Amino acid sequence: MAALAETLEGLTLEGELYEKLGGNKVRCFACGHCCPIPDGALGVCKVRFNRAGKLLVPFGYVGGVQCDPVEKKPFFHARPGALAFSFGMLGCDLHCSYCQNWVTSQALRDPSAVSPPLRSTPQQLVQMALEQGGEIMVSTYNEPLITSEWAVAVFKEAKAAGLMTGYVSNGNGTPQVLDYIRPWVDLYKVDLKSFDDRHYRQLGGRLQPILDTIRALHEMGFWLEIVTLLVPGFNDSPEEIKRLTEFLASVSPDIPWHVTAFHKDYKMTDPDNTSPGDLIRSAEIGLKAGLRFVYAGNLPGMVGDLENTLCANCREVLVRRYGYHILEYNVARDGSCPSCHQAIPGRWAEAYRPQIIDRPFVPRLHRRREIFWSGGT
Ligand code: SF4
């Protein structure tokens, strides 16, 4: 890890999301921790650090890239069937024991998480996305908020090339970081892990900044979808799910909520895997709370209509899915229901393009080597 930290130190530039305090101290605004950082110290995320009164932040590399169906992110109301070119850096501001991206998110905390950084430029990433048929660029795999300067540099190129952009995030934001990314980010997924502050503290965060971020994202006009990974015995009590979904419905009943199945991962191997019945029960609570688009994920074919998008007015099937696979697409060109003409909230394509693929894949290796290693490291 010492070698990794040393390599990463060279892949930095001066950040934009911070203020100088007295005595060479700085305060970072990239996430809800708002760390005050003395000269020579790291922030909680371990990837942003103070050198001689300047905040240095990650830049110019990726921890991994992958082409994913947009349904995997998951976004269900943003260009269904599109390919999302996904990239991540290293590090996270939380340390969830069930993290499914722990190889990249915990690279600076856990010696068994090995993910070497690969030098890259925004232009190279966008070129690669276009070559693969990507329509959306997504910052994911680590927490994108803490590497927002890099994401914005990539997204400026992506937007110039006509691509949509998105964050897959834990939602531990600040007003400053949301203002900073607003011109460059179209889609935003928040992983709302619990509605209990004690649970968030176990994961290294607090609930309130995440709720504030969800409200702000909706008010600022990002396209927002929320995911809750249902972990038996951790966050699945009916009472907690009721409070969580009532909060979301109070922000807007049109926010899609995905309740997804946990499988044993990383350091959390005690709870049972989530069953289809657990997902369906939680989804019913969400619908009762007033949410109009509720999805059950990670158990294809086992949750009935909860993989499909239905018109909230007439119940017409608008998008029929099996896992990430689109079986049927009926949204009208103007984003409305073809049957009752009700507008369907989301970011719909004017013309549906059939899926290139319904499974994640790593872009062709020879291209990766050519692109990432041409500058040498
Ligand atoms: S990104 Fe968050 S954890 Fe990292 S230094 Fe900034 S405020 Fe602290």
Side-chain angles (χ1 to χ4, degrees), residues 188-250:
Y188 204 114
K189 189 213 86 172
V190 173
D191 190 3
L192 181 55
K193 299 164 192 292
S194 166
F195 211 70
D196 184 329
D197 190 58
R198 285 168 310 165
H199 288 160
Y200 262 102
R201 286 177 192 266
Q202 285 171 17
L203 309 176
R206 289 182 300 125
L207 175 62
Q208 196 56 50
I210 290 151
L211 302 186
D212 293 344
T213 298
I214 288 172
R215 241 181 229 291
L217 287 164
H218 178 71
E219 281 166 10
M220 293 169 81
F222 292 85
W223 176 252
L224 174 63
E225 301 198 22
I226 306 286
V227 176
T228 301
L229 181 72
L230 199 69
V231 183
F234 176 70
N235 62 1
D236 67 335
S237 78
E239 197 273 328
E240 183 168 342
I241 296 296
K242 180 170 180 284
R243 288 189 296 123
L244 185 152
T245 52
E246 283 176 352
F247 164 76
L248 293 179
S250 78

Side-chain angles (χ1 to χ4, degrees), residues 5 18 103 128-129 181 208 249 343 357:
Y18 83 101
V103 172
M128 207 171 174
I181 65 171
Q208 196 56 50
I357 194 164

Side-chain angles (χ1 to χ4, degrees), residues 24-38:
N24 265 5
K25 220 177 183 186
V26 301
R27 183 185 304 281
C28 176
F29 297 134
C31 87
H33 290 317
C34 294
C35 300
I37 312 175

